Amino acid sequence: MRTLPETVDYVVVGAGSAGAALAARLTEKSTATVALLEAGGPDKKAAVHIPAAFSQLFRTELDWAYSTVPQDGLSGRPVFWPRGRMLGGCSSMNAMMWVRGFAADYDEWGELCGPDWSWEGLLPYFRRVERITGATDPDHGRTGPLHIGPQRSPSTHTAAFLDVVRELGYAVEPANAARPDGFSQTLVSQRRGARFSTADGYLKPARRRSHLHVVTGAHATRVLFEGRRAVGVEYVTGGAVRTVRARREVVLSGGAVNTPQLLMLSGIGDAAHLRERGIDVLVDAPEVGTRLTDHLLSGFAVDAADGTLFAAERPVELLNYLIRRRGMLTSNVGEAYGFVRSRPELELPDLEIIFAPVPFLGEGLVKPTSHGVTIGAVLLRPHSTGSISLASPDPLDKPVIDPRYLSDPDDADRAALLAGLDVCEQIIEKLTSRGLSTGRFLMPPGAEDLPRDRRGALALSDHAHTLYHPVGTARMGRDEASVVDPQLRVRGVEGLRVADASVMPTIIRGHTNAPAIVIGERAADLLAAG
């Protein structure tokens, strides 16, 4: 292992989806020395690489294992927020769904942040990232570092689900059109049936470079400043406090939770909040940690015939995976999805319907005891927003996460999700009529004995959870109130940028891993340009 120099050109904090891409590309484009600090460890655990096993990583040493404060809109429940704490970050622990979203959402970014952030501006970056097996769409990448492709062994239940939605009048189409208009079988970030994360696609090839220093077990505690210029990072490793200095710039890529926390610990945030926590104020930046937006998921699980992922751990499936890299263990769990409208007059969908050929129970923390399938509705453009704040000045304390789910004053978020749950019910009715389920509910348990409207309300209040897509807590914009400018520079200081999902000015109608990686790619270009 190479010794980390006391001073490098760039320090990048966080080796996740964006940070890994940024560090790898930056060292590819130049001979600049880069220190990549990752609080977690390597991505060696078997459950990281076996796709269907990702929930086994929850609440382990490879998970930040956050929880929100109790949510008034969800019966006072806290919501579990897993976040990857290892090389590859969330790309090493997610469901591998490669869902870019709608061109219109990126065009909204373009309006807020300039044309470089529009769909046309970012499309070359998507293509640069992707290596899509069998790609035929000219907008899809074929030679990028990240392997994307069709599922190797999709469930027969997934095929039945797609047949049912077609029967209900929805289109079934290839994934990742610029304007999706129906349902798709999920494209996954896998190679030969195993997860393919940014650690695989970017870091493993890049670590041969002598000017890239990847340091695991390095928990960043604050950005170091001389005056208002960032000059390095303080971090804790093995119980010792150390520093690494940056000749050029520091880049924060810790994600929508850890990046605003580190900014605040470094004196950049709402002045009143920082003073309450005993932190000296460097820059009064009230928006740091605010505008937190996330995709909320609520759904149903019903019983099903044999052939679901409940059987994925049988010896025959393990052998099939180890010998052929096929079978149930290659499943990403979220095997199909589609976009629908809660109201017909909407120009674009505001809901995603997602299908898993397994009962996904208790936020993924409860092991199923029988065969079943899960059909959920995802609120794509919520009106409710929340915040990340400091619990204390101790950098090792977890921050306070309050997404304020379903808190919008007009109750539009709740109404939209209930409409989505009605679509889920329609699909369940069709599956039951085909004999693929008896209609017995596993989540909420016993809900078949309740009136339909009560089922939806119960699913929402007692079982809704995150789809793991928090964004917006260090918002990018052209306005002075934004935390970072369109070049990702933190306002009010020099030599400090942010490159991760926290800069997204609005949440997309899709999944956030793909655009987070694109942000890392674009940040590398911005840094290389000087």
Side-chain angles (χ1 to χ4, degrees), residues 188-233:
V188 292
S189 49
Q190 294 181 11
R191 184 183 185 188
R192 291 191 60 248
R195 175 191 297 279
F196 203 79
S197 69
T198 56
D200 296 309
Y202 287 93
L203 287 185
K204 288 178 183 176
R207 289 187 76 169
R208 296 189 297 267
R209 299 172 192 147
S210 61
H211 52 300
L212 174 61
H213 302 268
V214 180
V215 186
T216 55
H219 187 141
T221 54
R222 66 186 174 108
V223 179
L224 303 173
F225 287 90
E226 290 180 357
R228 287 186 175 243
R229 180 167 188 83
V231 295
V233 173

mmCIF file of all heavy atoms in Angstrom, residues 188-233:
data_model
loop_
_atom_site.group_PDB
_atom_site.id
_atom_site.type_symbol
_atom_site.label_atom_id
_atom_site.label_comp_id
_atom_site.label_asym_id
_atom_site.label_seq_id
_atom_site.Cartn_x
_atom_site.Cartn_y
_atom_site.Cartn_z
ATOM 1 N N VAL A 188 -29.639 -3.395 -15.383
ATOM 2 C CA VAL A 188 -28.938 -3.467 -14.105
ATOM 3 C C VAL A 188 -27.449 -3.204 -14.280
ATOM 4 O O VAL A 188 -26.854 -3.522 -15.315
ATOM 5 C CB VAL A 188 -29.153 -4.839 -13.429
ATOM 6 C CG1 VAL A 188 -30.607 -4.988 -12.993
ATOM 7 C CG2 VAL A 188 -28.749 -5.988 -14.346
ATOM 8 N N SER A 189 -26.853 -2.634 -13.249
ATOM 9 C CA SER A 189 -25.401 -2.404 -13.252
ATOM 10 C C SER A 189 -24.721 -3.676 -12.735
ATOM 11 O O SER A 189 -24.372 -3.792 -11.561
ATOM 12 C CB SER A 189 -25.038 -1.185 -12.401
ATOM 13 O OG SER A 189 -25.657 -1.250 -11.134
ATOM 14 N N GLN A 190 -24.581 -4.620 -13.654
ATOM 15 C CA GLN A 190 -23.977 -5.918 -13.357
ATOM 16 C C GLN A 190 -23.066 -6.338 -14.502
ATOM 17 O O GLN A 190 -23.197 -5.874 -15.637
ATOM 18 C CB GLN A 190 -25.051 -6.999 -13.171
ATOM 19 C CG GLN A 190 -25.950 -6.812 -11.969
ATOM 20 C CD GLN A 190 -26.973 -7.929 -11.838
ATOM 21 O OE1 GLN A 190 -26.902 -8.942 -12.521
ATOM 22 N NE2 GLN A 190 -27.938 -7.738 -10.953
ATOM 23 N N ARG A 191 -22.162 -7.271 -14.179
ATOM 24 C CA ARG A 191 -21.341 -7.925 -15.197
ATOM 25 C C ARG A 191 -21.293 -9.418 -14.869
ATOM 26 O O ARG A 191 -20.932 -9.791 -13.758
ATOM 27 C CB ARG A 191 -19.934 -7.343 -15.203
ATOM 28 C CG ARG A 191 -19.051 -7.919 -16.309
ATOM 29 C CD ARG A 191 -17.650 -7.363 -16.221
ATOM 30 N NE ARG A 191 -16.837 -7.807 -17.345
ATOM 31 C CZ ARG A 191 -15.538 -7.592 -17.448
ATOM 32 N NH1 ARG A 191 -14.904 -6.917 -16.496
ATOM 33 N NH2 ARG A 191 -14.854 -8.031 -18.493
ATOM 34 N N ARG A 192 -21.737 -10.217 -15.824
ATOM 35 C CA ARG A 192 -21.797 -11.670 -15.658
ATOM 36 C C ARG A 192 -22.498 -12.066 -14.361
ATOM 37 O O ARG A 192 -22.057 -12.917 -13.607
ATOM 38 C CB ARG A 192 -20.388 -12.289 -15.679
ATOM 39 C CG ARG A 192 -19.677 -12.232 -17.025
ATOM 40 C CD ARG A 192 -18.424 -13.079 -17.033
ATOM 41 N NE ARG A 192 -18.726 -14.490 -16.766
ATOM 42 C CZ ARG A 192 -18.375 -15.157 -15.665
ATOM 43 N NH1 ARG A 192 -17.710 -14.524 -14.695
ATOM 44 N NH2 ARG A 192 -18.683 -16.421 -15.505
ATOM 45 N N GLY A 193 -23.630 -11.420 -14.103
ATOM 46 C CA GLY A 193 -24.458 -11.809 -12.981
ATOM 47 C C GLY A 193 -24.011 -11.300 -11.630
ATOM 48 O O GLY A 193 -24.631 -11.623 -10.605
ATOM 49 N N ALA A 194 -22.955 -10.496 -11.564
ATOM 50 C CA ALA A 194 -22.486 -9.921 -10.304
ATOM 51 C C ALA A 194 -22.633 -8.403 -10.349
ATOM 52 O O ALA A 194 -22.597 -7.790 -11.416
ATOM 53 C CB ALA A 194 -21.019 -10.287 -10.059
ATOM 54 N N ARG A 195 -22.784 -7.810 -9.186
ATOM 55 C CA ARG A 195 -22.848 -6.347 -9.100
ATOM 56 C C ARG A 195 -21.612 -5.733 -9.758
ATOM 57 O O ARG A 195 -20.495 -6.250 -9.628
ATOM 58 C CB ARG A 195 -22.908 -5.917 -7.635
ATOM 59 C CG ARG A 195 -22.864 -4.384 -7.444
ATOM 60 C CD ARG A 195 -22.651 -4.021 -5.995
ATOM 61 N NE ARG A 195 -23.750 -4.472 -5.173
ATOM 62 C CZ ARG A 195 -24.919 -3.858 -5.029
ATOM 63 N NH1 ARG A 195 -25.129 -2.724 -5.688
ATOM 64 N NH2 ARG A 195 -25.867 -4.339 -4.260
ATOM 65 N N PHE A 196 -21.830 -4.602 -10.427
ATOM 66 C CA PHE A 196 -20.712 -3.848 -10.987
ATOM 67 C C PHE A 196 -20.850 -2.405 -10.510
ATOM 68 O O PHE A 196 -21.627 -1.623 -11.048
ATOM 69 C CB PHE A 196 -20.697 -3.934 -12.516
ATOM 70 C CG PHE A 196 -19.343 -3.685 -13.105
ATOM 71 C CD1 PHE A 196 -18.379 -4.681 -13.099
ATOM 72 C CD2 PHE A 196 -19.013 -2.455 -13.644
ATOM 73 C CE1 PHE A 196 -17.113 -4.459 -13.638
ATOM 74 C CE2 PHE A 196 -17.754 -2.216 -14.181
ATOM 75 C CZ PHE A 196 -16.797 -3.220 -14.179
ATOM 76 N N SER A 197 -20.100 -2.066 -9.489
ATOM 77 C CA SER A 197 -20.186 -0.764 -8.835
ATOM 78 C C SER A 197 -19.168 0.210 -9.418
ATOM 79 O O SER A 197 -18.359 -0.143 -10.285
ATOM 80 C CB SER A 197 -19.913 -0.933 -7.337
ATOM 81 O OG SER A 197 -18.545 -1.271 -7.143
ATOM 82 N N THR A 198 -19.156 1.437 -8.896
ATOM 83 C CA THR A 198 -18.124 2.377 -9.321
ATOM 84 C C THR A 198 -16.751 1.960 -8.799
ATOM 85 O O THR A 198 -15.733 2.343 -9.382
ATOM 86 C CB THR A 198 -18.439 3.811 -8.865
ATOM 87 O OG1 THR A 198 -18.614 3.828 -7.448
ATOM 88 C CG2 THR A 198 -19.677 4.350 -9.546
ATOM 89 N N ALA A 199 -16.710 1.189 -7.720
ATOM 90 C CA ALA A 199 -15.429 0.636 -7.281
ATOM 91 C C ALA A 199 -14.881 -0.322 -8.338
ATOM 92 O O ALA A 199 -13.682 -0.342 -8.615
ATOM 93 C CB ALA A 199 -15.586 -0.078 -5.942
ATOM 94 N N ASP A 200 -15.783 -1.105 -8.948
ATOM 95 C CA ASP A 200 -15.367 -2.036 -9.999
ATOM 96 C C ASP A 200 -14.993 -1.303 -11.282
ATOM 97 O O ASP A 200 -13.955 -1.586 -11.896
ATOM 98 C CB ASP A 200 -16.500 -3.026 -10.301
ATOM 99 C CG ASP A 200 -16.833 -3.921 -9.128
ATOM 100 O OD1 ASP A 200 -15.909 -4.520 -8.567
ATOM 101 O OD2 ASP A 200 -18.030 -4.015 -8.779
ATOM 102 N N GLY A 201 -15.851 -0.379 -11.708
ATOM 103 C CA GLY A 201 -15.675 0.251 -13.011
ATOM 104 C C GLY A 201 -14.627 1.340 -13.048
ATOM 105 O O GLY A 201 -13.979 1.554 -14.081
ATOM 106 N N TYR A 202 -14.455 2.038 -11.927
ATOM 107 C CA TYR A 202 -13.549 3.179 -11.912
ATOM 108 C C TYR A 202 -12.300 2.950 -11.054
ATOM 109 O O TYR A 202 -11.182 3.171 -11.498
ATOM 110 C CB TYR A 202 -14.282 4.421 -11.395
ATOM 111 C CG TYR A 202 -15.280 5.017 -12.354
ATOM 112 C CD1 TYR A 202 -16.611 4.648 -12.319
ATOM 113 C CD2 TYR A 202 -14.889 5.964 -13.290
ATOM 114 C CE1 TYR A 202 -17.544 5.209 -13.188
ATOM 115 C CE2 TYR A 202 -15.800 6.540 -14.163
ATOM 116 C CZ TYR A 202 -17.132 6.149 -14.111
ATOM 117 O OH TYR A 202 -18.037 6.710 -14.976
ATOM 118 N N LEU A 203 -12.501 2.538 -9.796
ATOM 119 C CA LEU A 203 -11.370 2.511 -8.874
ATOM 120 C C LEU A 203 -10.403 1.366 -9.130
ATOM 121 O O LEU A 203 -9.181 1.551 -9.040
ATOM 122 C CB LEU A 203 -11.870 2.448 -7.426
ATOM 123 C CG LEU A 203 -12.474 3.733 -6.862
ATOM 124 C CD1 LEU A 203 -12.799 3.545 -5.398
ATOM 125 C CD2 LEU A 203 -11.514 4.910 -7.053
ATOM 126 N N LYS A 204 -10.924 0.188 -9.415
ATOM 127 C CA LYS A 204 -10.012 -0.944 -9.581
ATOM 128 C C LYS A 204 -9.038 -0.730 -10.735
ATOM 129 O O LYS A 204 -7.832 -0.952 -10.572
ATOM 130 C CB LYS A 204 -10.803 -2.236 -9.723
ATOM 131 C CG LYS A 204 -11.423 -2.644 -8.384
ATOM 132 C CD LYS A 204 -12.272 -3.889 -8.440
ATOM 133 C CE LYS A 204 -12.889 -4.149 -7.056
ATOM 134 N NZ LYS A 204 -13.809 -5.302 -7.071
ATOM 135 N N PRO A 205 -9.480 -0.241 -11.890
ATOM 136 C CA PRO A 205 -8.498 0.075 -12.935
ATOM 137 C C PRO A 205 -7.571 1.237 -12.560
ATOM 138 O O PRO A 205 -6.398 1.245 -12.922
ATOM 139 C CB PRO A 205 -9.360 0.438 -14.145
ATOM 140 C CG PRO A 205 -10.695 -0.159 -13.869
ATOM 141 C CD PRO A 205 -10.859 -0.113 -12.392
ATOM 142 N N ALA A 206 -8.126 2.218 -11.795
ATOM 143 C CA ALA A 206 -7.350 3.438 -11.516
ATOM 144 C C ALA A 206 -6.325 3.252 -10.407
ATOM 145 O O ALA A 206 -5.353 4.027 -10.333
ATOM 146 C CB ALA A 206 -8.299 4.573 -11.141
ATOM 147 N N ARG A 207 -6.500 2.257 -9.549
ATOM 148 C CA ARG A 207 -5.629 2.154 -8.379
ATOM 149 C C ARG A 207 -4.198 1.772 -8.748
ATOM 150 O O ARG A 207 -3.298 1.845 -7.910
ATOM 151 C CB ARG A 207 -6.220 1.169 -7.366
ATOM 152 C CG ARG A 207 -7.461 1.742 -6.695
ATOM 153 C CD ARG A 207 -7.968 0.878 -5.566
ATOM 154 N NE ARG A 207 -7.141 1.032 -4.371
ATOM 155 C CZ ARG A 207 -7.479 0.557 -3.182
ATOM 156 N NH1 ARG A 207 -8.625 -0.107 -3.032
ATOM 157 N NH2 ARG A 207 -6.693 0.714 -2.130
ATOM 158 N N ARG A 208 -3.975 1.374 -9.991
ATOM 159 C CA ARG A 208 -2.605 1.105 -10.435
ATOM 160 C C ARG A 208 -1.804 2.403 -10.593
ATOM 161 O O ARG A 208 -0.580 2.364 -10.660
ATOM 162 C CB ARG A 208 -2.626 0.358 -11.773
ATOM 163 C CG ARG A 208 -3.252 -1.021 -11.717
ATOM 164 C CD ARG A 208 -3.024 -1.769 -13.016
ATOM 165 N NE ARG A 208 -3.667 -1.112 -14.156
ATOM 166 C CZ ARG A 208 -4.884 -1.403 -14.599
ATOM 167 N NH1 ARG A 208 -5.598 -2.337 -13.983
ATOM 168 N NH2 ARG A 208 -5.397 -0.775 -15.635
ATOM 169 N N ARG A 209 -2.507 3.531 -10.669
ATOM 170 C CA ARG A 209 -1.821 4.808 -10.900
ATOM 171 C C ARG A 209 -1.133 5.284 -9.620
ATOM 172 O O ARG A 209 -1.770 5.386 -8.565
ATOM 173 C CB ARG A 209 -2.822 5.858 -11.378
ATOM 174 C CG ARG A 209 -3.492 5.462 -12.685
ATOM 175 C CD ARG A 209 -4.620 6.397 -13.046
ATOM 176 N NE ARG A 209 -5.406 5.818 -14.143
ATOM 177 C CZ ARG A 209 -6.710 5.983 -14.304
ATOM 178 N NH1 ARG A 209 -7.391 6.753 -13.466
ATOM 179 N NH2 ARG A 209 -7.325 5.409 -15.313
ATOM 180 N N SER A 210 0.122 5.625 -9.737
ATOM 181 C CA SER A 210 0.886 6.013 -8.550
ATOM 182 C C SER A 210 0.434 7.344 -7.968
ATOM 183 O O SER A 210 0.704 7.635 -6.797
ATOM 184 C CB SER A 210 2.380 6.093 -8.896
ATOM 185 O OG SER A 210 2.604 7.071 -9.909
ATOM 186 N N HIS A 211 -0.281 8.145 -8.767
ATOM 187 C CA HIS A 211 -0.701 9.457 -8.261
ATOM 188 C C HIS A 211 -2.112 9.436 -7.663
ATOM 189 O O HIS A 211 -2.634 10.486 -7.286
ATOM 190 C CB HIS A 211 -0.594 10.542 -9.334
ATOM 191 C CG HIS A 211 -1.272 10.227 -10.624
ATOM 192 N ND1 HIS A 211 -0.941 9.149 -11.406
ATOM 193 C CD2 HIS A 211 -2.262 10.878 -11.299
ATOM 194 C CE1 HIS A 211 -1.683 9.140 -12.495
ATOM 195 N NE2 HIS A 211 -2.500 10.169 -12.449
ATOM 196 N N LEU A 212 -2.724 8.247 -7.552
ATOM 197 C CA LEU A 212 -4.004 8.108 -6.853
ATOM 198 C C LEU A 212 -3.766 7.352 -5.554
ATOM 199 O O LEU A 212 -3.254 6.228 -5.556
ATOM 200 C CB LEU A 212 -5.024 7.358 -7.718
ATOM 201 C CG LEU A 212 -6.361 7.018 -7.025
ATOM 202 C CD1 LEU A 212 -7.076 8.293 -6.580
ATOM 203 C CD2 LEU A 212 -7.245 6.186 -7.943
ATOM 204 N N HIS A 213 -4.169 7.968 -4.452
ATOM 205 C CA HIS A 213 -4.005 7.374 -3.124
ATOM 206 C C HIS A 213 -5.404 7.156 -2.530
ATOM 207 O O HIS A 213 -6.089 8.128 -2.181
ATOM 208 C CB HIS A 213 -3.183 8.286 -2.217
ATOM 209 C CG HIS A 213 -1.825 8.604 -2.767
ATOM 210 N ND1 HIS A 213 -0.702 7.854 -2.475
ATOM 211 C CD2 HIS A 213 -1.411 9.579 -3.628
ATOM 212 C CE1 HIS A 213 0.338 8.355 -3.113
ATOM 213 N NE2 HIS A 213 -0.061 9.408 -3.818
ATOM 214 N N VAL A 214 -5.824 5.919 -2.435
ATOM 215 C CA VAL A 214 -7.136 5.577 -1.876
ATOM 216 C C VAL A 214 -6.930 5.133 -0.436
ATOM 217 O O VAL A 214 -6.209 4.163 -0.169
ATOM 218 C CB VAL A 214 -7.818 4.463 -2.694
ATOM 219 C CG1 VAL A 214 -9.186 4.122 -2.086
ATOM 220 C CG2 VAL A 214 -7.968 4.886 -4.149
ATOM 221 N N VAL A 215 -7.576 5.843 0.490
ATOM 222 C CA VAL A 215 -7.393 5.569 1.909
ATOM 223 C C VAL A 215 -8.742 5.172 2.499
ATOM 224 O O VAL A 215 -9.682 5.975 2.546
ATOM 225 C CB VAL A 215 -6.842 6.799 2.658
ATOM 226 C CG1 VAL A 215 -6.527 6.440 4.108
ATOM 227 C CG2 VAL A 215 -5.611 7.354 1.960
ATOM 228 N N THR A 216 -8.880 3.921 2.918
ATOM 229 C CA THR A 216 -10.106 3.472 3.571
ATOM 230 C C THR A 216 -9.979 3.649 5.081
ATOM 231 O O THR A 216 -8.889 3.859 5.618
ATOM 232 C CB THR A 216 -10.401 2.005 3.228
ATOM 233 O OG1 THR A 216 -9.269 1.200 3.575
ATOM 234 C CG2 THR A 216 -10.705 1.832 1.746
ATOM 235 N N GLY A 217 -11.122 3.567 5.763
ATOM 236 C CA GLY A 217 -11.122 3.770 7.211
ATOM 237 C C GLY A 217 -10.727 5.167 7.616
ATOM 238 O O GLY A 217 -10.201 5.387 8.713
ATOM 239 N N ALA A 218 -10.980 6.138 6.727
ATOM 240 C CA ALA A 218 -10.591 7.534 6.966
ATOM 241 C C ALA A 218 -11.849 8.387 7.043
ATOM 242 O O ALA A 218 -12.411 8.774 6.011
ATOM 243 C CB ALA A 218 -9.672 8.030 5.852
ATOM 244 N N HIS A 219 -12.298 8.683 8.245
ATOM 245 C CA HIS A 219 -13.538 9.426 8.476
ATOM 246 C C HIS A 219 -13.218 10.921 8.542
ATOM 247 O O HIS A 219 -12.622 11.400 9.508
ATOM 248 C CB HIS A 219 -14.178 8.951 9.790
ATOM 249 C CG HIS A 219 -15.534 9.517 10.051
ATOM 250 N ND1 HIS A 219 -16.560 8.780 10.602
ATOM 251 C CD2 HIS A 219 -16.067 10.750 9.847
ATOM 252 C CE1 HIS A 219 -17.638 9.521 10.726
ATOM 253 N NE2 HIS A 219 -17.353 10.738 10.273
ATOM 254 N N ALA A 220 -13.597 11.657 7.502
ATOM 255 C CA ALA A 220 -13.335 13.098 7.471
ATOM 256 C C ALA A 220 -14.126 13.806 8.563
ATOM 257 O O ALA A 220 -15.326 13.545 8.748
ATOM 258 C CB ALA A 220 -13.696 13.670 6.109
ATOM 259 N N THR A 221 -13.455 14.701 9.281
ATOM 260 C CA THR A 221 -14.105 15.399 10.388
ATOM 261 C C THR A 221 -14.277 16.895 10.147
ATOM 262 O O THR A 221 -15.156 17.511 10.721
ATOM 263 C CB THR A 221 -13.302 15.196 11.682
ATOM 264 O OG1 THR A 221 -11.934 15.582 11.455
ATOM 265 C CG2 THR A 221 -13.348 13.729 12.101
ATOM 266 N N ARG A 222 -13.430 17.473 9.309
ATOM 267 C CA ARG A 222 -13.634 18.876 8.921
ATOM 268 C C ARG A 222 -12.714 19.233 7.770
ATOM 269 O O ARG A 222 -11.668 18.607 7.572
ATOM 270 C CB ARG A 222 -13.429 19.844 10.091
ATOM 271 C CG ARG A 222 -12.017 19.920 10.630
ATOM 272 C CD ARG A 222 -11.966 20.794 11.881
ATOM 273 N NE ARG A 222 -10.655 20.760 12.498
ATOM 274 C CZ ARG A 222 -9.772 21.768 12.493
ATOM 275 N NH1 ARG A 222 -10.082 22.913 11.887
ATOM 276 N NH2 ARG A 222 -8.606 21.655 13.081
ATOM 277 N N VAL A 223 -13.127 20.246 7.015
ATOM 278 C CA VAL A 223 -12.278 20.832 5.992
ATOM 279 C C VAL A 223 -11.404 21.883 6.663
ATOM 280 O O VAL A 223 -11.879 22.671 7.492
ATOM 281 C CB VAL A 223 -13.117 21.463 4.871
ATOM 282 C CG1 VAL A 223 -12.227 22.102 3.816
ATOM 283 C CG2 VAL A 223 -14.041 20.421 4.245
ATOM 284 N N LEU A 224 -10.140 21.899 6.326
ATOM 285 C CA LEU A 224 -9.205 22.867 6.894
ATOM 286 C C LEU A 224 -9.134 24.102 5.998
ATOM 287 O O LEU A 224 -9.097 23.986 4.768
ATOM 288 C CB LEU A 224 -7.818 22.244 7.012
ATOM 289 C CG LEU A 224 -7.730 20.961 7.843
ATOM 290 C CD1 LEU A 224 -6.340 20.360 7.747
ATOM 291 C CD2 LEU A 224 -8.105 21.234 9.293
ATOM 292 N N PHE A 225 -9.120 25.265 6.631
ATOM 293 C CA PHE A 225 -9.086 26.524 5.884
ATOM 294 C C PHE A 225 -7.937 27.390 6.361
ATOM 295 O O PHE A 225 -7.573 27.377 7.546
ATOM 296 C CB PHE A 225 -10.400 27.306 6.081
ATOM 297 C CG PHE A 225 -11.576 26.713 5.357
ATOM 298 C CD1 PHE A 225 -12.382 25.770 5.987
ATOM 299 C CD2 PHE A 225 -11.872 27.089 4.056
ATOM 300 C CE1 PHE A 225 -13.473 25.225 5.330
ATOM 301 C CE2 PHE A 225 -12.949 26.547 3.396
ATOM 302 C CZ PHE A 225 -13.752 25.613 4.026
ATOM 303 N N GLU A 226 -7.371 28.136 5.421
ATOM 304 C CA GLU A 226 -6.518 29.277 5.742
ATOM 305 C C GLU A 226 -7.247 30.497 5.217
ATOM 306 O O GLU A 226 -7.392 30.665 3.995
ATOM 307 C CB GLU A 226 -5.146 29.127 5.091
ATOM 308 C CG GLU A 226 -4.317 28.021 5.732
ATOM 309 C CD GLU A 226 -2.948 27.850 5.097
ATOM 310 O OE1 GLU A 226 -2.667 28.569 4.092
ATOM 311 O OE2 GLU A 226 -2.169 27.002 5.579
ATOM 312 N N GLY A 227 -7.747 31.313 6.138
ATOM 313 C CA GLY A 227 -8.684 32.357 5.743
ATOM 314 C C GLY A 227 -9.945 31.694 5.221
ATOM 315 O O GLY A 227 -10.567 30.896 5.916
ATOM 316 N N ARG A 228 -10.285 32.006 3.981
ATOM 317 C CA ARG A 228 -11.471 31.382 3.376
ATOM 318 C C ARG A 228 -11.090 30.402 2.267
ATOM 319 O O ARG A 228 -11.938 30.032 1.466
ATOM 320 C CB ARG A 228 -12.414 32.458 2.830
ATOM 321 C CG ARG A 228 -13.146 33.201 3.946
ATOM 322 C CD ARG A 228 -14.176 34.170 3.412
ATOM 323 N NE ARG A 228 -14.924 34.761 4.496
ATOM 324 C CZ ARG A 228 -16.229 34.620 4.697
ATOM 325 N NH1 ARG A 228 -16.947 33.895 3.866
ATOM 326 N NH2 ARG A 228 -16.838 35.211 5.707
ATOM 327 N N ARG A 229 -9.859 29.991 2.245
ATOM 328 C CA ARG A 229 -9.440 29.017 1.235
ATOM 329 C C ARG A 229 -9.269 27.647 1.867
ATOM 330 O O ARG A 229 -8.576 27.487 2.876
ATOM 331 C CB ARG A 229 -8.128 29.438 0.575
ATOM 332 C CG ARG A 229 -7.701 28.426 -0.485
ATOM 333 C CD ARG A 229 -6.595 28.902 -1.393
ATOM 334 N NE ARG A 229 -6.414 27.924 -2.475
ATOM 335 C CZ ARG A 229 -7.132 27.877 -3.579
ATOM 336 N NH1 ARG A 229 -8.073 28.784 -3.787
ATOM 337 N NH2 ARG A 229 -6.920 26.945 -4.489
ATOM 338 N N ALA A 230 -9.922 26.643 1.260
ATOM 339 C CA ALA A 230 -9.774 25.269 1.721
ATOM 340 C C ALA A 230 -8.371 24.779 1.384
ATOM 341 O O ALA A 230 -7.928 24.880 0.237
ATOM 342 C CB ALA A 230 -10.818 24.371 1.059
ATOM 343 N N VAL A 231 -7.677 24.230 2.385
ATOM 344 C CA VAL A 231 -6.290 23.799 2.179
ATOM 345 C C VAL A 231 -6.069 22.342 2.565
ATOM 346 O O VAL A 231 -4.937 21.848 2.472
ATOM 347 C CB VAL A 231 -5.303 24.699 2.955
ATOM 348 C CG1 VAL A 231 -5.343 26.120 2.409
ATOM 349 C CG2 VAL A 231 -5.608 24.671 4.450
ATOM 350 N N GLY A 232 -7.123 21.645 2.975
ATOM 351 C CA GLY A 232 -6.939 20.250 3.342
ATOM 352 C C GLY A 232 -8.124 19.703 4.101
ATOM 353 O O GLY A 232 -9.166 20.350 4.221
ATOM 354 N N VAL A 233 -7.941 18.493 4.629
ATOM 355 C CA VAL A 233 -9.004 17.795 5.338
ATOM 356 C C VAL A 233 -8.415 17.123 6.571
ATOM 357 O O VAL A 233 -7.332 16.520 6.512
ATOM 358 C CB VAL A 233 -9.674 16.733 4.440
ATOM 359 C CG1 VAL A 233 -10.669 15.879 5.228
ATOM 360 C CG2 VAL A 233 -10.374 17.395 3.263
#
